[in-house]
Amino acid sequence: MQVVETISEVRRIRRVGPGSWGLVPTMGFLHAGHLALVARARQENNHVGVSIFVNPTQFGPQEDLAAYPRDLARDLAQLEAAGADLVWVPAVEEVYPPHFQTYVSVEEAARPLEGAARPGHFRGVATVVAKLFNVFQPDRAYFGQKDAQQAVVIQRMAADLAFPLDVVVCPTVREPDGLALSSRNVYLTPEQRAAAPVLYRALCAARDAWQAGERAGGRLRRIMADVLAAEPLARVDYVSAADPLTLAELEAEAEPPRGVLLSMAVRIGRARLIDNILIADADP
Ligand code: AMP
């Protein structure tokens, strides 16, 4: 496994030999969710590249950029064991050189939900991912369903700008009690950690209602809000029952929905947790 800092080193290694490349973009502090993406990339490609970069442009001024957890030595040990071939750990100036002024802005898909709660977030995400795609030129790039709107935004960007690669979205990896793995879970105290599975319980309650035939967005949102309201440590940012492609909220008067993305952002202590369940078209 080669660990490099500059774009020119990535490009030099990328050029070696025949075979496909899979790319896993990350912000580091890796957990089993990230490693599942690496494992999938390992299965489907001859070479696996990983980036570790805490991208400043996707953090708002009041957000946790400075506090974001980091442990490069542990990340590299995990990636070596997972079979990564190339790890790019750039400095901020390598990704954003002096006079940088070019951004990628996905429009509708980036507006609601996380986009509304975190202005500029997806502009930062789309810009850095576009740059990663250009630097690595992977055949496939791997993202987690955990960040559902991010997956939609990246798929939109890749299609709209004709990036010659497949965007692969992998299932959310969870703790046994349902809490989605996240680097930010480290912010939780033991008491808050015990409360955190309420997100998944709320999502499951709405999923069960959907599977029992409930199609009214308002009622699905109410079911999630009610479960969350029973947990005193949970402060709800939003709950959503939205069209999986447009991310527009399901409303009672609309056409029969083609599936639903149930999602939420909830603050517990100083952690802002997001989670979702996607029910696609063909699902019951
Ligand atoms: P991050 O380091 O948080 O930017 O995440 C890097 C990638 O890992 C993103 O595509 C995330 O969606 C994905 N990811 C994060 N947590 C999980 C999880 N629990 N299960 C699956 N993928 C995840």
Side-chain angles (χ1 to χ4, degrees):
M1 185 175 85
Q2 301 188 70
V3 182
V4 303
E5 293 177 10
T6 65
I7 291 172
S8 57
E9 288 169 293
V10 175
R11 293 214 156 121
R12 182 176 52 74
I13 295 163
R14 169 67 182 84
R15 278 197 293 270
V16 301
S20 60
W21 277 82
L23 170 65
V24 181
T26 83
M27 298 205 299
F29 210 70
L30 303 181
H31 51 63
H34 298 109
L35 298 176
L37 305 186
V38 175
R40 178 84 175 267
R42 183 72 279 163
Q43 277 170 19
E44 297 180 351
N45 301 275
N46 300 102
H47 311 277
V48 175
V50 178
S51 59
I52 298 177
F53 181 59
V54 182
N55 175 35
T57 64
Q58 72 188 68
F59 288 77
Q62 310 301 327
E63 294 182 3
D64 59 343
L65 174 61
Y68 197 83
R70 299 163 207 240
D71 189 340
L72 184 59
R74 192 171 60 112
D75 289 349
L76 295 178
Q78 294 190 88
L79 290 174
E80 176 99 64
D85 299 295
L86 169 60
V87 184
W88 187 33
V89 190
V92 172
E93 306 73 49
E94 186 71 5
V95 177
Y96 299 105
H99 313 299
F100 187 94
Q101 52 188 288
T102 307
Y103 292 87
V104 178
S105 188
V106 175
E107 308 270 309
E108 270 98 301
R111 238 171 240 141
L113 306 173
E114 289 301 285
R118 306 181 66 189
H121 171 67
F122 286 118
R123 178 178 185 253
V125 169
T127 301
V128 80
V129 171
K131 185 144 190 174
L132 289 166
F133 286 178
N134 281 330
V135 170
F136 277 89
Q137 303 197 5
D139 299 280
R140 298 180 190 84
Y142 295 83
F143 296 87
Q145 178 61 34
K146 161 74 167 41
D147 297 280
Q149 189 177 12
Q150 171 172 280
V152 172
V153 166
I154 299 300
Q155 284 171 312
R156 194 68 262 148
M157 177 189 80
D160 289 353
L161 300 184
F163 279 99
L165 52 84
D166 291 335
V167 172
V168 182
V169 181
C170 303
T172 301
V173 177
R174 299 180 180 283
E175 300 282 5
D177 62 9
L179 176 63
L181 297 191
S182 165
S183 306
R184 290 187 167 101
N185 291 350
V186 64
Y187 296 148
L188 299 168
T189 66
E191 190 196 3
Q192 292 161 356
R193 170 65 188 81
V198 72
L199 279 80
Y200 190 57
R201 281 207 311 280
L203 290 165
C204 289
R207 179 202 56 199
D208 293 348
W210 173 278
Q211 287 173 345
E214 182 60 79
R215 292 293 181 271
R219 282 198 290 272
L220 293 166
R221 290 186 287 275
R222 168 51 62 90
I223 288 166
M224 293 187 279
D226 285 348
V227 175
L228 292 167
E231 172 48 65
L233 295 182
R235 285 165 293 134
V236 178
D237 221 342
Y238 63 78
V239 293
S240 165
D243 181 287
L245 292 182
T246 67
L247 304 183
E249 290 300 319
L250 297 191
E251 303 299 348
E253 66 276 13
E255 297 281 293
R258 57 183 146 196
V260 65
L261 177 66
L262 304 165
S263 70
M264 57 183 55
V266 177
R267 289 176 197 276
I268 298 185
R270 68 189 189 92
R272 182 176 179 280
L273 305 177
I274 61 170
D275 200 355
N276 70 88
I277 291 179
L278 173 63
I279 304 174
D281 234 353
D283 297 347

Short mmCIF file of all heavy atoms in Angstrom, two decimals, residues 58-114:
data_model
loop_
_atom_site.label_atom_id
_atom_site.label_comp_id
_atom_site.label_asym_id
_atom_site.label_seq_id
_atom_site.Cartn_x
_atom_site.Cartn_y
_atom_site.Cartn_z
N GLN A 58 -16.84 21.82 2.97
CA GLN A 58 -18.16 21.26 3.23
C GLN A 58 -18.63 21.48 4.67
O GLN A 58 -19.70 21.02 5.05
CB GLN A 58 -18.21 19.78 2.85
CG GLN A 58 -17.46 18.84 3.76
CD GLN A 58 -17.42 17.44 3.19
OE1 GLN A 58 -16.78 17.17 2.17
NE2 GLN A 58 -18.13 16.51 3.82
N PHE A 59 -17.82 22.18 5.46
CA PHE A 59 -18.19 22.52 6.83
C PHE A 59 -18.64 23.98 6.89
O PHE A 59 -17.99 24.85 6.30
CB PHE A 59 -16.99 22.37 7.77
CG PHE A 59 -16.60 20.94 8.06
CD1 PHE A 59 -15.89 20.20 7.13
CD2 PHE A 59 -16.94 20.35 9.27
CE1 PHE A 59 -15.52 18.89 7.39
CE2 PHE A 59 -16.57 19.04 9.54
CZ PHE A 59 -15.87 18.30 8.60
N GLY A 60 -19.74 24.24 7.60
CA GLY A 60 -20.16 25.62 7.83
C GLY A 60 -19.28 26.25 8.90
O GLY A 60 -18.57 25.56 9.64
N PRO A 61 -19.34 27.60 9.01
CA PRO A 61 -18.47 28.31 9.96
C PRO A 61 -18.71 27.89 11.42
O PRO A 61 -17.77 27.94 12.22
CB PRO A 61 -18.83 29.78 9.74
CG PRO A 61 -20.02 29.82 8.85
CD PRO A 61 -20.14 28.50 8.17
N GLN A 62 -19.92 27.48 11.75
CA GLN A 62 -20.22 27.08 13.14
C GLN A 62 -20.07 25.57 13.33
O GLN A 62 -20.47 25.05 14.38
CB GLN A 62 -21.65 27.46 13.53
CG GLN A 62 -22.03 28.90 13.24
CD GLN A 62 -21.12 29.89 13.95
OE1 GLN A 62 -20.63 29.63 15.04
NE2 GLN A 62 -20.85 31.01 13.29
N GLU A 63 -19.58 24.85 12.35
CA GLU A 63 -19.55 23.38 12.45
C GLU A 63 -18.23 22.87 13.02
O GLU A 63 -17.38 23.64 13.46
CB GLU A 63 -19.88 22.77 11.08
CG GLU A 63 -21.33 23.08 10.67
CD GLU A 63 -21.74 22.45 9.35
OE1 GLU A 63 -20.91 21.70 8.75
OE2 GLU A 63 -22.86 22.71 8.90
N ASP A 64 -18.08 21.52 12.99
CA ASP A 64 -17.03 20.87 13.79
C ASP A 64 -15.74 20.58 13.03
O ASP A 64 -15.06 19.60 13.33
CB ASP A 64 -17.60 19.57 14.38
CG ASP A 64 -18.08 18.60 13.30
OD1 ASP A 64 -18.28 19.04 12.14
OD2 ASP A 64 -18.28 17.41 13.61
N LEU A 65 -15.37 21.45 12.06
CA LEU A 65 -14.15 21.20 11.28
C LEU A 65 -12.92 20.99 12.18
O LEU A 65 -12.19 20.00 12.03
CB LEU A 65 -13.91 22.36 10.30
CG LEU A 65 -12.60 22.33 9.51
CD1 LEU A 65 -12.50 21.07 8.64
CD2 LEU A 65 -12.47 23.58 8.63
N ALA A 66 -12.72 21.90 13.11
CA ALA A 66 -11.51 21.82 13.96
C ALA A 66 -11.56 20.60 14.87
O ALA A 66 -10.53 19.97 15.14
CB ALA A 66 -11.35 23.09 14.77
N ALA A 67 -12.77 20.26 15.33
CA ALA A 67 -12.92 19.17 16.30
C ALA A 67 -13.05 17.80 15.63
O ALA A 67 -13.03 16.78 16.31
CB ALA A 67 -14.15 19.42 17.17
N TYR A 68 -13.21 17.79 14.29
CA TYR A 68 -13.49 16.51 13.61
C TYR A 68 -12.41 15.50 13.97
O TYR A 68 -11.22 15.78 13.89
CB TYR A 68 -13.56 16.72 12.09
CG TYR A 68 -14.24 15.57 11.41
CD1 TYR A 68 -15.62 15.49 11.32
CD2 TYR A 68 -13.49 14.51 10.89
CE1 TYR A 68 -16.26 14.41 10.73
CE2 TYR A 68 -14.11 13.42 10.29
CZ TYR A 68 -15.49 13.38 10.22
OH TYR A 68 -16.11 12.30 9.65
N PRO A 69 -12.81 14.28 14.40
CA PRO A 69 -11.81 13.32 14.91
C PRO A 69 -10.86 12.83 13.82
O PRO A 69 -11.25 12.65 12.67
CB PRO A 69 -12.67 12.17 15.44
CG PRO A 69 -13.96 12.27 14.70
CD PRO A 69 -14.18 13.73 14.44
N ARG A 70 -9.60 12.66 14.20
CA ARG A 70 -8.58 12.21 13.24
C ARG A 70 -7.66 11.20 13.91
O ARG A 70 -7.33 11.35 15.09
CB ARG A 70 -7.72 13.40 12.76
CG ARG A 70 -8.55 14.47 12.04
CD ARG A 70 -7.80 15.80 11.95
NE ARG A 70 -8.76 16.90 11.87
CZ ARG A 70 -8.86 17.77 10.87
NH1 ARG A 70 -8.04 17.71 9.86
NH2 ARG A 70 -9.77 18.73 10.89
N ASP A 71 -7.26 10.17 13.17
CA ASP A 71 -6.26 9.21 13.66
C ASP A 71 -5.65 8.52 12.45
O ASP A 71 -6.05 7.41 12.07
CB ASP A 71 -6.92 8.19 14.61
CG ASP A 71 -5.89 7.31 15.30
OD1 ASP A 71 -4.73 7.22 14.79
OD2 ASP A 71 -6.22 6.69 16.33
N LEU A 72 -4.70 9.21 11.83
CA LEU A 72 -4.16 8.73 10.55
C LEU A 72 -3.46 7.38 10.70
O LEU A 72 -3.63 6.50 9.85
CB LEU A 72 -3.21 9.78 9.96
CG LEU A 72 -2.66 9.42 8.59
CD1 LEU A 72 -3.77 9.23 7.56
CD2 LEU A 72 -1.68 10.49 8.11
N ALA A 73 -2.71 7.20 11.79
CA ALA A 73 -1.96 5.94 11.94
C ALA A 73 -2.93 4.75 11.99
O ALA A 73 -2.72 3.72 11.32
CB ALA A 73 -1.10 5.99 13.21
N ARG A 74 -4.00 4.91 12.75
CA ARG A 74 -4.98 3.82 12.84
C ARG A 74 -5.69 3.61 11.50
O ARG A 74 -5.91 2.48 11.07
CB ARG A 74 -6.00 4.13 13.95
CG ARG A 74 -6.88 2.94 14.31
CD ARG A 74 -7.72 3.25 15.54
NE ARG A 74 -8.59 4.40 15.33
CZ ARG A 74 -9.91 4.34 15.25
NH1 ARG A 74 -10.53 3.19 15.41
NH2 ARG A 74 -10.62 5.42 15.04
N ASP A 75 -6.03 4.72 10.82
CA ASP A 75 -6.68 4.60 9.50
C ASP A 75 -5.80 3.81 8.54
O ASP A 75 -6.29 2.91 7.84
CB ASP A 75 -6.93 6.00 8.90
CG ASP A 75 -8.03 6.77 9.62
OD1 ASP A 75 -8.75 6.16 10.43
OD2 ASP A 75 -8.15 7.99 9.36
N LEU A 76 -4.51 4.14 8.50
CA LEU A 76 -3.62 3.48 7.54
C LEU A 76 -3.47 2.00 7.87
O LEU A 76 -3.43 1.16 6.96
CB LEU A 76 -2.26 4.19 7.50
CG LEU A 76 -2.30 5.63 6.97
CD1 LEU A 76 -0.91 6.26 7.02
CD2 LEU A 76 -2.87 5.70 5.55
N ALA A 77 -3.41 1.67 9.15
CA ALA A 77 -3.32 0.25 9.53
C ALA A 77 -4.57 -0.50 9.07
O ALA A 77 -4.48 -1.62 8.53
CB ALA A 77 -3.14 0.13 11.05
N GLN A 78 -5.73 0.13 9.24
CA GLN A 78 -6.98 -0.53 8.81
C GLN A 78 -7.03 -0.69 7.30
O GLN A 78 -7.51 -1.70 6.78
CB GLN A 78 -8.19 0.28 9.29
CG GLN A 78 -8.34 0.31 10.81
CD GLN A 78 -9.68 0.92 11.22
OE1 GLN A 78 -10.68 0.22 11.32
NE2 GLN A 78 -9.70 2.22 11.43
N LEU A 79 -6.57 0.33 6.58
CA LEU A 79 -6.62 0.27 5.12
C LEU A 79 -5.64 -0.76 4.57
O LEU A 79 -5.94 -1.45 3.59
CB LEU A 79 -6.34 1.65 4.52
CG LEU A 79 -7.47 2.66 4.76
CD1 LEU A 79 -7.06 4.05 4.26
CD2 LEU A 79 -8.77 2.21 4.08
N GLU A 80 -4.49 -0.86 5.21
CA GLU A 80 -3.51 -1.88 4.81
C GLU A 80 -4.15 -3.26 4.96
O GLU A 80 -4.11 -4.10 4.05
CB GLU A 80 -2.26 -1.75 5.70
CG GLU A 80 -1.22 -2.80 5.47
CD GLU A 80 -0.10 -2.30 4.56
OE1 GLU A 80 0.60 -1.36 4.97
OE2 GLU A 80 0.05 -2.86 3.46
N ALA A 81 -4.78 -3.49 6.13
CA ALA A 81 -5.42 -4.80 6.38
C ALA A 81 -6.57 -5.05 5.41
O ALA A 81 -6.85 -6.20 5.06
CB ALA A 81 -5.92 -4.85 7.83
N ALA A 82 -7.24 -4.00 4.99
CA ALA A 82 -8.40 -4.15 4.09
C ALA A 82 -7.98 -4.31 2.63
O ALA A 82 -8.83 -4.54 1.76
CB ALA A 82 -9.32 -2.94 4.23
N GLY A 83 -6.69 -4.14 2.35
CA GLY A 83 -6.21 -4.39 0.99
C GLY A 83 -6.24 -3.19 0.07
O GLY A 83 -6.28 -3.35 -1.16
N ALA A 84 -6.21 -1.98 0.62
CA ALA A 84 -6.11 -0.80 -0.24
C ALA A 84 -4.73 -0.76 -0.89
O ALA A 84 -3.74 -1.21 -0.30
CB ALA A 84 -6.34 0.47 0.57
N ASP A 85 -4.66 -0.23 -2.11
CA ASP A 85 -3.37 -0.14 -2.81
C ASP A 85 -2.75 1.24 -2.69
O ASP A 85 -1.53 1.36 -2.67
CB ASP A 85 -3.58 -0.45 -4.30
CG ASP A 85 -4.12 -1.84 -4.50
OD1 ASP A 85 -3.39 -2.79 -4.18
OD2 ASP A 85 -5.28 -1.98 -4.94
N LEU A 86 -3.60 2.25 -2.67
CA LEU A 86 -3.11 3.63 -2.74
C LEU A 86 -3.97 4.49 -1.82
O LEU A 86 -5.20 4.42 -1.89
CB LEU A 86 -3.21 4.14 -4.18
CG LEU A 86 -3.00 5.62 -4.44
CD1 LEU A 86 -1.62 6.06 -3.98
CD2 LEU A 86 -3.20 5.92 -5.93
N VAL A 87 -3.33 5.25 -0.96
CA VAL A 87 -4.06 6.16 -0.08
C VAL A 87 -3.54 7.57 -0.32
O VAL A 87 -2.33 7.81 -0.23
CB VAL A 87 -3.89 5.79 1.41
CG1 VAL A 87 -4.76 6.69 2.29
CG2 VAL A 87 -4.25 4.32 1.64
N TRP A 88 -4.46 8.46 -0.62
CA TRP A 88 -4.09 9.87 -0.83
C TRP A 88 -4.48 10.66 0.41
O TRP A 88 -5.65 10.64 0.80
CB TRP A 88 -4.80 10.44 -2.06
CG TRP A 88 -4.34 11.82 -2.43
CD1 TRP A 88 -3.08 12.34 -2.27
CD2 TRP A 88 -5.13 12.86 -3.02
NE1 TRP A 88 -3.05 13.63 -2.75
CE2 TRP A 88 -4.28 13.98 -3.21
CE3 TRP A 88 -6.47 12.95 -3.43
CZ2 TRP A 88 -4.72 15.18 -3.78
CZ3 TRP A 88 -6.91 14.13 -4.00
CH2 TRP A 88 -6.03 15.24 -4.16
N VAL A 89 -3.50 11.29 1.03
CA VAL A 89 -3.73 12.10 2.23
C VAL A 89 -3.22 13.51 1.93
O VAL A 89 -2.10 13.88 2.32
CB VAL A 89 -2.99 11.50 3.45
CG1 VAL A 89 -3.44 12.20 4.74
CG2 VAL A 89 -3.23 10.00 3.57
N PRO A 90 -4.00 14.28 1.21
CA PRO A 90 -3.49 15.59 0.78
C PRO A 90 -3.56 16.64 1.88
O PRO A 90 -4.41 16.57 2.76
CB PRO A 90 -4.44 15.96 -0.37
CG PRO A 90 -5.73 15.31 0.00
CD PRO A 90 -5.36 14.03 0.72
N ALA A 91 -2.69 17.62 1.79
CA ALA A 91 -2.84 18.83 2.59
C ALA A 91 -3.95 19.68 1.96
O ALA A 91 -4.27 19.51 0.78
CB ALA A 91 -1.53 19.62 2.59
N VAL A 92 -4.51 20.57 2.77
CA VAL A 92 -5.58 21.43 2.27
C VAL A 92 -5.12 22.19 1.02
O VAL A 92 -5.86 22.32 0.03
CB VAL A 92 -6.07 22.40 3.37
CG1 VAL A 92 -7.05 23.43 2.80
CG2 VAL A 92 -6.73 21.63 4.50
N GLU A 93 -3.86 22.67 1.02
CA GLU A 93 -3.36 23.48 -0.11
C GLU A 93 -3.18 22.65 -1.38
O GLU A 93 -3.10 23.20 -2.49
CB GLU A 93 -2.02 24.14 0.21
CG GLU A 93 -2.00 24.97 1.48
CD GLU A 93 -2.01 24.12 2.75
OE1 GLU A 93 -1.20 23.17 2.85
OE2 GLU A 93 -2.87 24.37 3.63
N GLU A 94 -3.07 21.32 -1.23
CA GLU A 94 -2.96 20.49 -2.42
C GLU A 94 -4.31 20.41 -3.14
O GLU A 94 -4.38 20.38 -4.37
CB GLU A 94 -2.47 19.09 -2.03
CG GLU A 94 -2.16 18.15 -3.18
CD GLU A 94 -0.89 18.53 -3.96
OE1 GLU A 94 -0.19 19.48 -3.55
OE2 GLU A 94 -0.63 17.87 -4.99
N VAL A 95 -5.38 20.36 -2.36
CA VAL A 95 -6.72 20.29 -2.94
C VAL A 95 -7.22 21.68 -3.32
O VAL A 95 -7.88 21.85 -4.35
CB VAL A 95 -7.70 19.61 -1.95
CG1 VAL A 95 -9.12 19.58 -2.51
CG2 VAL A 95 -7.22 18.20 -1.62
N TYR A 96 -6.90 22.66 -2.49
CA TYR A 96 -7.33 24.04 -2.74
C TYR A 96 -6.10 24.95 -2.84
O TYR A 96 -5.73 25.60 -1.87
CB TYR A 96 -8.26 24.52 -1.61
CG TYR A 96 -9.52 23.69 -1.50
CD1 TYR A 96 -9.70 22.76 -0.47
CD2 TYR A 96 -10.52 23.81 -2.45
CE1 TYR A 96 -10.85 22.00 -0.38
CE2 TYR A 96 -11.68 23.04 -2.38
CZ TYR A 96 -11.83 22.14 -1.34
OH TYR A 96 -12.97 21.39 -1.26
N PRO A 97 -5.46 24.96 -4.01
CA PRO A 97 -4.25 25.78 -4.17
C PRO A 97 -4.60 27.27 -4.11
O PRO A 97 -5.77 27.63 -4.25
CB PRO A 97 -3.74 25.38 -5.55
CG PRO A 97 -4.91 24.83 -6.26
CD PRO A 97 -5.80 24.23 -5.23
N PRO A 98 -3.61 28.12 -3.95
CA PRO A 98 -3.87 29.56 -3.91
C PRO A 98 -4.68 29.99 -5.13
O PRO A 98 -4.47 29.47 -6.22
CB PRO A 98 -2.46 30.17 -3.94
CG PRO A 98 -1.57 29.11 -3.40
CD PRO A 98 -2.19 27.79 -3.79
N HIS A 99 -5.60 30.90 -4.91
CA HIS A 99 -6.47 31.47 -5.96
C HIS A 99 -7.55 30.50 -6.41
O HIS A 99 -8.23 30.76 -7.41
CB HIS A 99 -5.66 31.95 -7.17
CG HIS A 99 -4.47 32.79 -6.80
ND1 HIS A 99 -4.60 33.98 -6.12
CD2 HIS A 99 -3.14 32.59 -6.96
CE1 HIS A 99 -3.39 34.48 -5.89
NE2 HIS A 99 -2.49 33.65 -6.38
N PHE A 100 -7.71 29.39 -5.71
CA PHE A 100 -8.79 28.44 -6.06
C PHE A 100 -10.11 29.18 -6.09
O PHE A 100 -10.45 29.92 -5.17
CB PHE A 100 -8.85 27.33 -5.00
CG PHE A 100 -9.82 26.23 -5.35
CD1 PHE A 100 -9.39 25.09 -6.02
CD2 PHE A 100 -11.17 26.34 -5.05
CE1 PHE A 100 -10.27 24.08 -6.35
CE2 PHE A 100 -12.06 25.33 -5.39
CZ PHE A 100 -11.60 24.20 -6.04
N GLN A 101 -10.90 28.98 -7.17
CA GLN A 101 -12.17 29.71 -7.27
C GLN A 101 -13.18 28.98 -8.14
O GLN A 101 -14.10 29.61 -8.69
CB GLN A 101 -11.94 31.12 -7.80
CG GLN A 101 -11.13 31.17 -9.08
CD GLN A 101 -10.75 32.60 -9.46
OE1 GLN A 101 -11.59 33.37 -9.88
NE2 GLN A 101 -9.47 32.93 -9.27
N THR A 102 -13.02 27.65 -8.26
CA THR A 102 -13.91 26.90 -9.14
C THR A 102 -14.67 25.87 -8.31
O THR A 102 -14.06 25.03 -7.65
CB THR A 102 -13.09 26.19 -10.24
OG1 THR A 102 -12.28 27.16 -10.88
CG2 THR A 102 -14.00 25.51 -11.24
N TYR A 103 -16.01 25.97 -8.35
CA TYR A 103 -16.83 25.10 -7.52
C TYR A 103 -17.87 24.39 -8.37
O TYR A 103 -18.28 24.90 -9.42
CB TYR A 103 -17.54 25.92 -6.44
CG TYR A 103 -16.57 26.47 -5.42
CD1 TYR A 103 -15.92 27.69 -5.65
CD2 TYR A 103 -16.25 25.76 -4.28
CE1 TYR A 103 -15.00 28.19 -4.74
CE2 TYR A 103 -15.33 26.25 -3.37
CZ TYR A 103 -14.71 27.47 -3.60
OH TYR A 103 -13.79 27.95 -2.71
N VAL A 104 -18.31 23.23 -7.90
CA VAL A 104 -19.38 22.49 -8.55
C VAL A 104 -20.62 22.62 -7.68
O VAL A 104 -20.58 22.31 -6.48
CB VAL A 104 -19.01 21.00 -8.73
CG1 VAL A 104 -20.17 20.25 -9.37
CG2 VAL A 104 -17.74 20.88 -9.56
N SER A 105 -21.70 23.03 -8.27
CA SER A 105 -22.91 23.29 -7.52
C SER A 105 -24.08 22.52 -8.14
O SER A 105 -24.56 22.88 -9.21
CB SER A 105 -23.17 24.80 -7.53
OG SER A 105 -24.20 25.11 -6.67
N VAL A 106 -24.50 21.45 -7.48
CA VAL A 106 -25.69 20.71 -7.91
C VAL A 106 -26.89 21.48 -7.37
O VAL A 106 -26.86 21.95 -6.23
CB VAL A 106 -25.63 19.27 -7.36
CG1 VAL A 106 -26.90 18.51 -7.68
CG2 VAL A 106 -24.40 18.54 -7.92
N GLU A 107 -27.94 21.62 -8.16
CA GLU A 107 -29.01 22.55 -7.77
C GLU A 107 -30.10 21.86 -6.94
O GLU A 107 -29.90 21.63 -5.76
CB GLU A 107 -29.57 23.23 -9.02
CG GLU A 107 -28.46 23.86 -9.87
CD GLU A 107 -28.15 25.30 -9.52
OE1 GLU A 107 -29.09 26.10 -9.45
OE2 GLU A 107 -26.96 25.63 -9.34
N GLU A 108 -31.22 21.45 -7.57
CA GLU A 108 -32.38 20.98 -6.78
C GLU A 108 -32.05 19.92 -5.73
O GLU A 108 -32.49 20.02 -4.60
CB GLU A 108 -33.48 20.39 -7.68
CG GLU A 108 -34.49 21.38 -8.14
CD GLU A 108 -34.16 21.85 -9.55
OE1 GLU A 108 -33.05 22.39 -9.73
OE2 GLU A 108 -34.98 21.65 -10.44
N ALA A 109 -31.32 18.89 -6.14
CA ALA A 109 -31.10 17.76 -5.23
C ALA A 109 -30.34 18.19 -3.97
O ALA A 109 -30.43 17.53 -2.93
CB ALA A 109 -30.33 16.65 -5.94
N ALA A 110 -29.60 19.30 -4.06
CA ALA A 110 -28.80 19.75 -2.92
C ALA A 110 -29.53 20.76 -2.05
O ALA A 110 -28.99 21.19 -1.04
CB ALA A 110 -27.49 20.36 -3.43
N ARG A 111 -30.78 21.11 -2.42
CA ARG A 111 -31.46 22.20 -1.71
C ARG A 111 -32.13 21.79 -0.39
O ARG A 111 -31.94 22.48 0.61
CB ARG A 111 -32.50 22.82 -2.64
CG ARG A 111 -32.23 24.29 -2.83
CD ARG A 111 -33.09 24.90 -3.91
NE ARG A 111 -32.27 25.43 -4.97
CZ ARG A 111 -32.52 25.37 -6.27
NH1 ARG A 111 -33.61 24.76 -6.69
NH2 ARG A 111 -31.71 25.90 -7.15
N PRO A 112 -32.92 20.70 -0.35
CA PRO A 112 -33.65 20.42 0.89
C PRO A 112 -32.77 19.73 1.94
O PRO A 112 -31.55 19.58 1.75
CB PRO A 112 -34.77 19.48 0.42
CG PRO A 112 -34.16 18.74 -0.74
CD PRO A 112 -33.22 19.72 -1.41
N LEU A 113 -33.38 19.30 3.03
CA LEU A 113 -32.76 18.40 4.01
C LEU A 113 -31.40 18.91 4.47
O LEU A 113 -31.30 19.99 5.03
CB LEU A 113 -32.66 16.97 3.41
CG LEU A 113 -33.99 16.41 2.88
CD1 LEU A 113 -33.78 15.09 2.17
CD2 LEU A 113 -35.00 16.27 4.00
N GLU A 114 -30.35 18.14 4.25
CA GLU A 114 -29.01 18.57 4.69
C GLU A 114 -28.59 19.88 4.02
O GLU A 114 -27.89 20.69 4.61
CB GLU A 114 -27.98 17.48 4.36
CG GLU A 114 -28.11 16.26 5.23
CD GLU A 114 -27.93 16.61 6.70
OE1 GLU A 114 -26.80 16.85 7.12
OE2 GLU A 114 -28.94 16.65 7.42
#
